[in-house]
Amino acid sequence: MKNPTMDDTDDGRPNGGRSALFTPPGDASGAERVSRRRKALLSSSMVGSTNRGRVLQALFDLGPTSRAELARLAGVNRTTISGIVQPLIDDQVLVESDPVPPSPGGGKPARPLWFSPNARPICGVLLMPDAVHACVATLDGKIESERKMALPDGRGPVRPIIEAIAECVGDTLSRARRMPLGIGVGVGGMVDTDRGSIVAVNLAPALDRYPLADDLGRRFGLPVKLDHHPRALLVGDRWFGAGRGVRQFAVVYTGEVLGGALYFDGHLYRGTAGAGGELGHTFVQLDGEPCRCGRRGCWDTIATLSWLRREAARAALPEPDLIDSARLVDMAARRLPGAAELLDRYARNVAVGIANLQQTVAPNIFIMHGDVVLGGDRLLGAIAEHVRSMVPTRPGGAIEFIAGDAGDRAALVGAAGLVISELLQLPI
């Protein structure tokens, strides 16, 4: 029986997957040049960076796995597998753990491979309009140290903001047990992934067009990978969270801003120069409310905390400027007048953008992050109910919602994971 991770079938669920040939790091064409041919996980005639990436991806998907099991799943001999993993062991990227007792049927004790605790760590940075949060993490996503700092006003000069970012990152790097492999940065704004620069941060315009990757690279002498905050969340989910082994899913983040990211057929969709996935600025209301981007009717205008707090004030709910999903759910549970109605409207506003996304590309699995997670089962259930009422039923089209992270952890380890993809040639 074939293991579904290595199988050529693809049902979009965990461990259902196929491998695609990806362009090597440094090719600016990125996802646009992904070959649509399918290949086995390994071939005995080609032992190189591509197969190394696939073995590492299998470990992320399956957890600690022995050489023998990897060889069995790939349909190759152990010599082929050893030719791939032994250099990674020599470089202290992987380590073989103590033997696991054999099954009752007998056999040689297996020694699972996993990421070495002695491997060089990775640095993840989350840059939002009002704060920077940095961490040092292991290759399997465990945060070893971190620091968070408030940033100066994003409408003022840029230099104090950059110096604060550099201080936060530098202090975090100084606590690393070894020099990290590189720095991954998730930015709460539009980015140009080809140039490693910020395009625009609506709530902190001082950062617009700033070449942040070049700046941090010069300061710390490390490779720097810059990407959009929701895509960092997706990488965190893909390798360390609810997206492990899933071939197709979407991430949606709500809070002061709204964003999303898409994972299709085993790879992260970025679009040209990282322009893809600006879901918060898709249109949901023609001639709707003005958006911070300068247009009208963006999804961001009806499904963020600013909308929720304005409507809470209109409904005369207590302390509207402090309201979030958790407070609103609590008010609804206590039957404060207007709370349940506002909760349902908020859920519907979040749902309309998800329904449009599902109708367009049908990811079917949505991992939710940010403020809506604070609303717990009641809010997520209401969002799911509205989405299902908006989307026609079809065979194989069951839509699943998963509560992700309400805080920064997934984005931090996901930003760090950008470095893994770049340096270890591990496609994402």
Side-chain angles (χ1 to χ4, degrees), residues 79-414:
T79 301
T80 300
I81 291 292
S82 293
I84 299 168
V85 303
Q86 191 58 50
L88 294 171
I89 293 174
D90 294 341
D91 289 340
Q92 296 187 327
V93 174
L94 299 180
V95 66
E96 282 185 307
S97 60
D98 294 335
V100 175
S103 64
K108 185 178 179 179
R111 299 189 66 190
L113 287 159
W114 191 235
F115 295 96
S116 172
N118 297 319
R120 289 174 62 186
I122 41 184
C123 177
V125 180
L126 175 59
L127 176 59
M128 301 302 276
D130 60 346
V132 58
H133 194 169
C135 80
V136 171
T138 62
L139 293 184
D140 59 348
K142 294 183 178 65
I143 293 177
E144 296 185 321
S145 63
E146 60 185 302
R147 184 180 180 189
K148 188 172 184 178
M149 289 177 56
L151 291 177
D153 188 345
R155 287 171 288 273
V158 70
R159 184 50 51 188
I161 301 174
I162 298 304
E163 293 304 322
I165 294 170
E167 179 186 345
C168 183
V169 173
D171 181 67
T172 306
L173 292 175
S174 70
R175 300 187 225 170
R177 50 186 171 72
R178 293 183 64 187
M179 179 59 70
L181 289 165
I183 302 169
V185 185
V187 179
M190 296 174 64
V191 298
D192 184 331
T193 53
D194 288 352
R195 291 183 171 86
S197 63
I198 297 170
V199 175
V201 179
N202 289 328
L203 297 178
L207 290 168
D208 292 359
R209 298 178 298 281
Y210 194 81
L212 185 62
D214 286 347
D215 189 311
L216 294 178
R218 284 193 300 269
R219 288 174 185 262
F220 301 111
L222 291 171
V224 179
K225 184 72 174 177
L226 194 75
D227 216 325
H228 193 205
H229 164 238
R231 289 197 287 262
L233 278 172
L234 188 145
V235 174
D237 285 334
R238 173 66 187 90
W239 283 341
F240 313 118
R244 287 179 63 180
V246 179
R247 295 290 294 180
Q248 188 158 303
F249 67 97
V251 160
V252 174
Y253 172 87
T254 68
E256 297 290 348
V257 296
L258 187 149
L262 309 171
Y263 191 74
F264 289 135
D265 200 21
H267 71 276
L268 170 62
Y269 178 75
R270 285 189 172 92
T272 304
E278 288 289 342
L279 303 181
H281 298 288
T282 55
F283 293 111
V284 294
Q285 289 184 328
L286 290 176
D287 302 319
E289 293 291 327
C291 181
R292 288 171 291 215
C293 72
R295 301 177 299 169
R296 287 182 174 270
C298 295
W299 188 18
D300 191 275
T301 64
I302 64 168
T304 55
L305 285 174
S306 58
W307 178 91
L308 184 62
R309 288 165 179 167
R310 286 197 308 270
E311 295 303 307
R314 289 174 183 167
L317 292 174
E319 299 183 301
D321 291 342
L322 299 177
I323 202 165
D324 59 13
S325 289
R327 287 173 177 253
L328 184 58
V329 167
D330 177 67
M331 291 176 186
R334 291 189 284 119
R335 299 186 179 182
L336 270 64
E341 293 80 2
L342 179 57
L343 181 65
D344 186 68
R345 288 174 60 206
Y346 187 45
R348 187 172 182 271
N349 287 355
V350 174
V352 68
I354 294 175
N356 287 335
L357 178 60
Q358 205 281 334
Q359 284 290 85
T360 304
V361 290
N364 285 359
I365 299 172
F366 292 88
I367 304 177
M368 309 297 293
H369 287 273
D371 174 69
V372 291
V373 178
L374 299 174
D377 291 343
R378 178 163 181 175
L379 179 54
L380 290 180
I383 293 170
E385 184 177 345
H386 279 298
V387 170
R388 290 167 184 146
S389 71
M390 297 173 186
V391 175
T393 302
R394 58 180 296 156
I399 304 170
E400 181 179 355
F401 289 83
I402 299 172
D405 185 8
D408 290 348
R409 183 188 178 280
L412 279 174
V413 297

Side-chain angles (χ1 to χ4, degrees), residues 4 6-11 16-18 247:
M6 314 299 177
D7 199 349
D8 282 337
T9 60
D10 182 8
D11 61 1
R18 300 169 290 185
R247 295 290 294 180

